[in-house]
Amino acid sequence: MTAHGTRPDSGPILETLESEAIEILREGVAAAERPVMLYSIGKDSSVLLHLARKAFWPAPVPFPLLHIDTGWKFREMIEFRDRTAAEPGLELRVHTNQEGRKAGINPFDHGSEHYTDVMKTEALRQALDAGRYDVIFGGARRDEERSRAKERVFSLRNHNHQWDPKAQRPEIWNLYNTRPRPGESLRVSPLSNWTEGDVWRYVAAERIPVVPLYFARERPVVERDGGLILVDDERLPLGPGETPRMCRVRFRTLGCYPLSAAVESAAGTVEGVLAETLAADQSERRGRVIDHDGEGSMERKKREGYF
Amino acid sequence: MLPPLRFVLCGSVDDGKSTLIGRLLHECRAVFEDQARAAAEASRRYGTQGDATDLALLMDGLMAEREQGITIDVAYRRFETPRRQFFVADAPGHEQYTRNMATGASTADLAVVLVDAEKGVLPQTARHSRIAGMLGIRHVVLAVNKMDRVAWDPARFDAIAAAYEAVATETGITRTQAIPLSALDGGGVTRRAAPAAWFSGPTLLEHLETVEIAPPAGEAAFRMPVQYVNRPNPGFRGYCGRIAAGAVAPGDRVRIFPSGAETAVARIVVWKGERERAERGDSVTLVLKDDRDVSRGDVIAAADDPVEVADQFQAQLLWMGDEPLVVGRPYRLKLHTRETGAAVTRIKHRLDVVDGRTRPAPTLGLNDIGSVNLATDRPLPFARYEDNRTLGGFILLDRRTGTTVGAGMIRFPLMRAANVRWQDFEVTRENRARALGQHPRCLWLTGLSGSGKSTIANLIEQRLVAEGKHTFVLDGDNVRHGLNRDLGFTEADRAENIRRVAEVARLMVDAGLIVIVSFISPYRSERDYARGLFEPGDFREIFVDAPLETCEARDPKGLYARARRAEVKNFTGISSPYEPPEAPDLRLDTATESPERCVDRVLESLA
């Protein structure tokens, strides 16, 4: 396949997407008793938070942000999170699966699938149960993965936070069914119809702050299974022959650092990243190790409660 | 650049629909190498194209779809070319997924209808076109696929295009463009097909890039349903919403519906600023000049071109529920941002989506489309669907499961609704209550036959009358023999029975009485409906609870014995379900508590 054409001119698409996302945010809040936004610190979360500020201006964002901290996030992500949370009017709630942490669950010894189950999916279920949230906003996009292309904007989860793709409520027009039954909840995705390119166009157009890891810089990395893994702290066990080397890299997607692969890049600015995104041959999720845990792995994780 | 185009792709099983969309995305470079590789891997397991990648597997995202080789659910994708942005809905073709096809069509401006060049126009083609036309789509591309299998024969193509014209005319499609193509090799999709030099029209992509869609003529005047009232501090009150039609500017005179109150727009507030103008599709916050009572579900509209308000409608209804529609049963209705109770009062006919004929029908099942009369609990500001999809399209929700069971399109208000006006009496219900010296209420006793409802209802009434209160008991004996003697025991009749009882109880509460309703009322949805008629606090759901064995042992009227012998049909608890209240205001356990103790508890709860 040949390279994607460079098309920084977005036309009227951003206005349409912004108005649609704001409509979804307001509809979710109007229906909710206990709304919350899952805040993953990534670019999609930054965009979603920006849209929430716009939707409810001049009121502050009318829901708290919830971060599921696995303990293995990039240091720069945690710094960025804490800077964001310090802004007036924002409330950040952080949850870690303490049992998993005490058991020392990590991505190296327990495998990425088990680690994700315990430190992300299970941790998320714990936090949602504790907060009794009924409407849960997140930054998921339909272009990320093919099972997401089939998911509703207002996606019903049962009392165990599970998604049943065969029992989805019809979602016709922009007329969202915002009524979960007691114990059920709604995962709401205002960015459903956005693409990775739209996200970067919007970040550029609105000058939205994002974690500096998205921009290329010299960073220490090791090559592992064809991906470049950042040596973010001393906890990364180095295999025989693995020596960190300095490389000009950036990240298309951020998660736990041992599971997020960097790409070599010269793009040090938003405009540079946008140009590279629009010309990319690979999807951003290629850098995510957990998406490749077998055929249909994302659908399976979502059935179990993953966002 | 033209505005983004939203289109839906529809075709029958094996017409090559997912292959075509995969081809479009592939050629527009909206498929990444790793996604293509995943599709290639899946092709080896489930594919139908030998060693070549089965492009359909790019779209069939659910495991069940890949295993069965069919599209079950709608998939939404975005792609773009240097000339235009596209939203595409890939809708399943199979008859049992009509509701998903309608969902895909509901937000689309154009439909790409696929036919197989070998098979030609099929009954399915008419079905897809009729659904698209009904949902308001006027533009269709007739994509004649698999032209390579008929040697790109122009006569074959012309015959299919001519056959389709008849279908289009009949289904409300006004603009048709037929295009010969082969989704498998890409000819006619994004590049000219060499063997089709005889065809002078555009490729599919060229047409999609250049087609212009005019909004309906009825969309000229300003309308915005209020989504959310933003009141961060006493100095600011903004009405948030997305503009459904027309444009607005500060100073414009507007009216609020359904109240009809008039004021003007003071400011259009957006993030950290204000705007001089906003139009259809924009999400904004309006600040009004005067302090008016405005809530979620109201519509702010141009003062000189108001919206209509009604509470009875004729509508087209697509049934999406697994359980069939029950005439007279209360459902929840959501129209733009307004929710209210609603019931279908009559099914005029069912529409055969293949031949377009209408037939009488007692009910609508999953995927049926019918023309119905609809009554809502409260008046709704609306537009006819053909004039505005946002203000004319509604969904019906099941009260018990909360799921979406119907999608409707308002055709017109019924005249008699327009003629009914709420009389603004001088004497209010508060006056009447004060004159009687009591708090009027409805005590709704629900429970199995033999649970003790009648005994308790009579004791409550005796005690209240002894205290000088004004009361009335509504039960099966005094209602079934008069008001409801035209009703039998079918599900629809039982729903209507409860609806009438609830309405009578509400009138009596308005009259100032304390009404004690003693009905088995087995369905939650119907009790919820009753609750919705009353002011909060004026309705008490009292669950008279006793185990079935206890009730059966009491059997005061010998009905259980007859039900066990199957002499009585649809008997609650035996041959018909009872749905116990999930959160009753009060639960009385008559198996362990005496009737006097139960009545004490009821009266304590009222104090």
Side-chain angles (χ1 to χ4, degrees), chain B residues 296-323:
Chain B
R296 174 174 161 83
D298 289 352
V299 172
I300 303 178
D304 57 359
D305 192 349
V307 293
E308 289 182 88
V309 177
D311 61 1
Q312 294 193 47
F313 305 93
Q314 191 180 110
Q316 292 257 65
L317 184 63
L318 163 62
W319 196 251
M320 298 174 145
D322 294 325
E323 304 280 324

mmCIF file of all heavy atoms in Angstrom, chain B residues 296-323:
data_model
loop_
_atom_site.group_PDB
_atom_site.id
_atom_site.type_symbol
_atom_site.label_atom_id
_atom_site.label_comp_id
_atom_site.label_asym_id
_atom_site.label_seq_id
_atom_site.Cartn_x
_atom_site.Cartn_y
_atom_site.Cartn_z
ATOM 1 N N ARG B 296 -35.345 21.481 29.977
ATOM 2 C CA ARG B 296 -34.949 20.471 28.999
ATOM 3 C C ARG B 296 -36.201 19.923 28.345
ATOM 4 O O ARG B 296 -37.194 19.625 29.014
ATOM 5 C CB ARG B 296 -34.193 19.350 29.712
ATOM 6 C CG ARG B 296 -33.857 18.169 28.810
ATOM 7 C CD ARG B 296 -32.991 17.163 29.524
ATOM 8 N NE ARG B 296 -33.013 15.859 28.886
ATOM 9 C CZ ARG B 296 -32.260 15.512 27.838
ATOM 10 N NH1 ARG B 296 -31.388 16.374 27.333
ATOM 11 N NH2 ARG B 296 -32.353 14.318 27.290
ATOM 12 N N GLY B 297 -36.162 19.792 27.025
ATOM 13 C CA GLY B 297 -37.300 19.255 26.292
ATOM 14 C C GLY B 297 -38.150 20.331 25.642
ATOM 15 O O GLY B 297 -38.953 20.037 24.768
ATOM 16 N N ASP B 298 -37.969 21.596 26.071
ATOM 17 C CA ASP B 298 -38.659 22.691 25.390
ATOM 18 C C ASP B 298 -37.946 22.979 24.069
ATOM 19 O O ASP B 298 -36.782 22.625 23.896
ATOM 20 C CB ASP B 298 -38.632 23.963 26.256
ATOM 21 C CG ASP B 298 -39.546 23.841 27.478
ATOM 22 O OD1 ASP B 298 -40.298 22.851 27.551
ATOM 23 O OD2 ASP B 298 -39.491 24.725 28.350
ATOM 24 N N VAL B 299 -38.665 23.638 23.158
ATOM 25 C CA VAL B 299 -38.045 24.042 21.896
ATOM 26 C C VAL B 299 -38.092 25.562 21.802
ATOM 27 O O VAL B 299 -39.137 26.173 22.013
ATOM 28 C CB VAL B 299 -38.768 23.405 20.682
ATOM 29 C CG1 VAL B 299 -38.247 23.995 19.375
ATOM 30 C CG2 VAL B 299 -38.583 21.897 20.696
ATOM 31 N N ILE B 300 -36.924 26.166 21.539
ATOM 32 C CA ILE B 300 -36.857 27.606 21.303
ATOM 33 C C ILE B 300 -36.938 27.798 19.792
ATOM 34 O O ILE B 300 -36.162 27.186 19.048
ATOM 35 C CB ILE B 300 -35.551 28.203 21.865
ATOM 36 C CG1 ILE B 300 -35.435 27.880 23.367
ATOM 37 C CG2 ILE B 300 -35.497 29.716 21.631
ATOM 38 C CD1 ILE B 300 -34.155 28.395 24.020
ATOM 39 N N ALA B 301 -37.904 28.612 19.327
ATOM 40 C CA ALA B 301 -38.146 28.722 17.886
ATOM 41 C C ALA B 301 -38.379 30.171 17.488
ATOM 42 O O ALA B 301 -38.749 30.999 18.322
ATOM 43 C CB ALA B 301 -39.356 27.877 17.493
ATOM 44 N N ALA B 302 -38.169 30.457 16.214
ATOM 45 C CA ALA B 302 -38.409 31.798 15.678
ATOM 46 C C ALA B 302 -39.829 32.240 16.041
ATOM 47 O O ALA B 302 -40.786 31.504 15.830
ATOM 48 C CB ALA B 302 -38.225 31.788 14.168
ATOM 49 N N ALA B 303 -39.968 33.475 16.584
ATOM 50 C CA ALA B 303 -41.273 33.932 17.069
ATOM 51 C C ALA B 303 -42.290 34.037 15.947
ATOM 52 O O ALA B 303 -43.479 33.776 16.148
ATOM 53 C CB ALA B 303 -41.120 35.274 17.783
ATOM 54 N N ASP B 304 -41.835 34.388 14.747
ATOM 55 C CA ASP B 304 -42.799 34.590 13.658
ATOM 56 C C ASP B 304 -43.053 33.310 12.861
ATOM 57 O O ASP B 304 -43.804 33.329 11.899
ATOM 58 C CB ASP B 304 -42.314 35.715 12.734
ATOM 59 C CG ASP B 304 -40.926 35.426 12.186
ATOM 60 O OD1 ASP B 304 -40.364 34.370 12.547
ATOM 61 O OD2 ASP B 304 -40.405 36.252 11.423
ATOM 62 N N ASP B 305 -42.421 32.209 13.239
ATOM 63 C CA ASP B 305 -42.647 30.945 12.540
ATOM 64 C C ASP B 305 -42.610 29.822 13.572
ATOM 65 O O ASP B 305 -41.671 29.035 13.624
ATOM 66 C CB ASP B 305 -41.569 30.740 11.459
ATOM 67 C CG ASP B 305 -41.935 29.607 10.516
ATOM 68 O OD1 ASP B 305 -42.896 28.859 10.819
ATOM 69 O OD2 ASP B 305 -41.252 29.449 9.495
ATOM 70 N N PRO B 306 -43.624 29.756 14.462
ATOM 71 C CA PRO B 306 -43.561 28.852 15.611
ATOM 72 C C PRO B 306 -43.649 27.380 15.221
ATOM 73 O O PRO B 306 -44.086 27.059 14.118
ATOM 74 C CB PRO B 306 -44.772 29.262 16.443
ATOM 75 C CG PRO B 306 -45.687 29.926 15.497
ATOM 76 C CD PRO B 306 -44.857 30.536 14.425
ATOM 77 N N VAL B 307 -43.252 26.508 16.141
ATOM 78 C CA VAL B 307 -43.406 25.068 15.909
ATOM 79 C C VAL B 307 -44.812 24.653 16.313
ATOM 80 O O VAL B 307 -45.490 25.342 17.075
ATOM 81 C CB VAL B 307 -42.383 24.230 16.721
ATOM 82 C CG1 VAL B 307 -40.987 24.460 16.231
ATOM 83 C CG2 VAL B 307 -42.489 24.499 18.215
ATOM 84 N N GLU B 308 -45.241 23.498 15.797
ATOM 85 C CA GLU B 308 -46.537 22.968 16.187
ATOM 86 C C GLU B 308 -46.403 22.224 17.526
ATOM 87 O O GLU B 308 -45.333 21.720 17.861
ATOM 88 C CB GLU B 308 -47.029 21.977 15.129
ATOM 89 C CG GLU B 308 -47.456 22.621 13.829
ATOM 90 C CD GLU B 308 -47.980 21.583 12.849
ATOM 91 O OE1 GLU B 308 -49.189 21.286 12.888
ATOM 92 O OE2 GLU B 308 -47.177 21.050 12.065
ATOM 93 N N VAL B 309 -47.509 22.171 18.253
ATOM 94 C CA VAL B 309 -47.547 21.438 19.516
ATOM 95 C C VAL B 309 -48.785 20.543 19.485
ATOM 96 O O VAL B 309 -49.868 21.014 19.110
ATOM 97 C CB VAL B 309 -47.638 22.409 20.717
ATOM 98 C CG1 VAL B 309 -47.751 21.629 22.024
ATOM 99 C CG2 VAL B 309 -46.427 23.343 20.749
ATOM 100 N N ALA B 310 -48.624 19.263 19.835
ATOM 101 C CA ALA B 310 -49.783 18.366 19.852
ATOM 102 C C ALA B 310 -49.528 17.205 20.792
ATOM 103 O O ALA B 310 -48.395 16.984 21.226
ATOM 104 C CB ALA B 310 -50.080 17.848 18.444
ATOM 105 N N ASP B 311 -50.596 16.466 21.111
ATOM 106 C CA ASP B 311 -50.417 15.281 21.943
ATOM 107 C C ASP B 311 -51.006 14.024 21.302
ATOM 108 O O ASP B 311 -51.044 12.974 21.927
ATOM 109 C CB ASP B 311 -50.973 15.497 23.357
ATOM 110 C CG ASP B 311 -52.459 15.792 23.360
ATOM 111 O OD1 ASP B 311 -53.067 15.811 22.264
ATOM 112 O OD2 ASP B 311 -53.016 16.008 24.445
ATOM 113 N N GLN B 312 -51.470 14.152 20.054
ATOM 114 C CA GLN B 312 -51.908 12.948 19.333
ATOM 115 C C GLN B 312 -51.405 13.064 17.902
ATOM 116 O O GLN B 312 -51.518 14.126 17.285
ATOM 117 C CB GLN B 312 -53.424 12.826 19.357
ATOM 118 C CG GLN B 312 -53.916 12.580 20.775
ATOM 119 C CD GLN B 312 -55.363 12.150 20.796
ATOM 120 O OE1 GLN B 312 -55.781 11.284 20.046
ATOM 121 N NE2 GLN B 312 -56.131 12.752 21.684
ATOM 122 N N PHE B 313 -50.873 11.981 17.397
ATOM 123 C CA PHE B 313 -50.187 12.025 16.115
ATOM 124 C C PHE B 313 -50.528 10.817 15.269
ATOM 125 O O PHE B 313 -50.853 9.755 15.796
ATOM 126 C CB PHE B 313 -48.659 12.000 16.320
ATOM 127 C CG PHE B 313 -48.157 13.073 17.219
ATOM 128 C CD1 PHE B 313 -48.006 12.834 18.590
ATOM 129 C CD2 PHE B 313 -47.832 14.320 16.721
ATOM 130 C CE1 PHE B 313 -47.548 13.831 19.431
ATOM 131 C CE2 PHE B 313 -47.370 15.317 17.562
ATOM 132 C CZ PHE B 313 -47.228 15.078 18.917
ATOM 133 N N GLN B 314 -50.365 10.994 13.955
ATOM 134 C CA GLN B 314 -50.245 9.806 13.129
ATOM 135 C C GLN B 314 -48.776 9.689 12.760
ATOM 136 O O GLN B 314 -48.128 10.687 12.406
ATOM 137 C CB GLN B 314 -51.091 9.878 11.876
ATOM 138 C CG GLN B 314 -51.118 8.496 11.229
ATOM 139 C CD GLN B 314 -51.936 8.457 9.966
ATOM 140 O OE1 GLN B 314 -51.399 8.323 8.879
ATOM 141 N NE2 GLN B 314 -53.245 8.580 10.129
ATOM 142 N N ALA B 315 -48.234 8.459 12.876
ATOM 143 C CA ALA B 315 -46.803 8.267 12.663
ATOM 144 C C ALA B 315 -46.552 6.952 11.954
ATOM 145 O O ALA B 315 -47.371 6.039 11.991
ATOM 146 C CB ALA B 315 -46.078 8.278 14.009
ATOM 147 N N GLN B 316 -45.407 6.887 11.288
ATOM 148 C CA GLN B 316 -44.889 5.620 10.778
ATOM 149 C C GLN B 316 -44.051 5.035 11.893
ATOM 150 O O GLN B 316 -43.213 5.740 12.449
ATOM 151 C CB GLN B 316 -43.953 5.865 9.600
ATOM 152 C CG GLN B 316 -44.611 6.381 8.363
ATOM 153 C CD GLN B 316 -44.758 5.265 7.344
ATOM 154 O OE1 GLN B 316 -45.493 4.312 7.599
ATOM 155 N NE2 GLN B 316 -44.085 5.379 6.231
ATOM 156 N N LEU B 317 -44.251 3.773 12.198
ATOM 157 C CA LEU B 317 -43.520 3.181 13.314
ATOM 158 C C LEU B 317 -42.795 1.922 12.845
ATOM 159 O O LEU B 317 -43.403 1.020 12.263
ATOM 160 C CB LEU B 317 -44.504 2.838 14.442
ATOM 161 C CG LEU B 317 -43.908 2.295 15.739
ATOM 162 C CD1 LEU B 317 -43.011 3.327 16.398
ATOM 163 C CD2 LEU B 317 -45.029 1.898 16.703
ATOM 164 N N LEU B 318 -41.485 1.881 13.090
ATOM 165 C CA LEU B 318 -40.694 0.672 12.836
ATOM 166 C C LEU B 318 -40.503 -0.016 14.174
ATOM 167 O O LEU B 318 -39.961 0.581 15.111
ATOM 168 C CB LEU B 318 -39.338 1.044 12.236
ATOM 169 C CG LEU B 318 -38.256 -0.052 12.281
ATOM 170 C CD1 LEU B 318 -38.665 -1.279 11.486
ATOM 171 C CD2 LEU B 318 -36.936 0.488 11.780
ATOM 172 N N TRP B 319 -40.998 -1.248 14.269
ATOM 173 C CA TRP B 319 -40.909 -1.944 15.556
ATOM 174 C C TRP B 319 -39.557 -2.650 15.665
ATOM 175 O O TRP B 319 -39.142 -3.381 14.783
ATOM 176 C CB TRP B 319 -42.065 -2.939 15.728
ATOM 177 C CG TRP B 319 -42.179 -3.341 17.163
ATOM 178 C CD1 TRP B 319 -41.873 -4.542 17.712
ATOM 179 C CD2 TRP B 319 -42.600 -2.491 18.246
ATOM 180 N NE1 TRP B 319 -42.080 -4.491 19.075
ATOM 181 C CE2 TRP B 319 -42.512 -3.259 19.428
ATOM 182 C CE3 TRP B 319 -43.014 -1.159 18.323
ATOM 183 C CZ2 TRP B 319 -42.847 -2.728 20.679
ATOM 184 C CZ3 TRP B 319 -43.340 -0.631 19.557
ATOM 185 C CH2 TRP B 319 -43.265 -1.410 20.719
ATOM 186 N N MET B 320 -38.833 -2.394 16.755
ATOM 187 C CA MET B 320 -37.489 -2.928 16.930
ATOM 188 C C MET B 320 -37.395 -3.870 18.118
ATOM 189 O O MET B 320 -36.314 -4.374 18.435
ATOM 190 C CB MET B 320 -36.520 -1.767 17.171
ATOM 191 C CG MET B 320 -36.430 -0.796 16.004
ATOM 192 S SD MET B 320 -35.414 0.614 16.474
ATOM 193 C CE MET B 320 -34.599 0.961 14.931
ATOM 194 N N GLY B 321 -38.506 -4.068 18.823
ATOM 195 C CA GLY B 321 -38.468 -4.885 20.032
ATOM 196 C C GLY B 321 -38.639 -6.367 19.699
ATOM 197 O O GLY B 321 -39.286 -6.721 18.720
ATOM 198 N N ASP B 322 -38.058 -7.216 20.540
ATOM 199 C CA ASP B 322 -38.242 -8.656 20.356
ATOM 200 C C ASP B 322 -39.677 -9.055 20.688
ATOM 201 O O ASP B 322 -40.249 -9.943 20.072
ATOM 202 C CB ASP B 322 -37.261 -9.438 21.236
ATOM 203 C CG ASP B 322 -35.823 -9.199 20.799
ATOM 204 O OD1 ASP B 322 -35.610 -9.045 19.573
ATOM 205 O OD2 ASP B 322 -34.924 -9.141 21.658
ATOM 206 N N GLU B 323 -40.269 -8.379 21.704
ATOM 207 C CA GLU B 323 -41.673 -8.606 22.041
ATOM 208 C C GLU B 323 -42.517 -7.707 21.150
ATOM 209 O O GLU B 323 -42.149 -6.567 20.901
ATOM 210 C CB GLU B 323 -41.940 -8.191 23.494
ATOM 211 C CG GLU B 323 -41.060 -8.862 24.516
ATOM 212 C CD GLU B 323 -41.553 -10.256 24.834
ATOM 213 O OE1 GLU B 323 -42.787 -10.424 24.851
ATOM 214 O OE2 GLU B 323 -40.718 -11.151 25.024
#
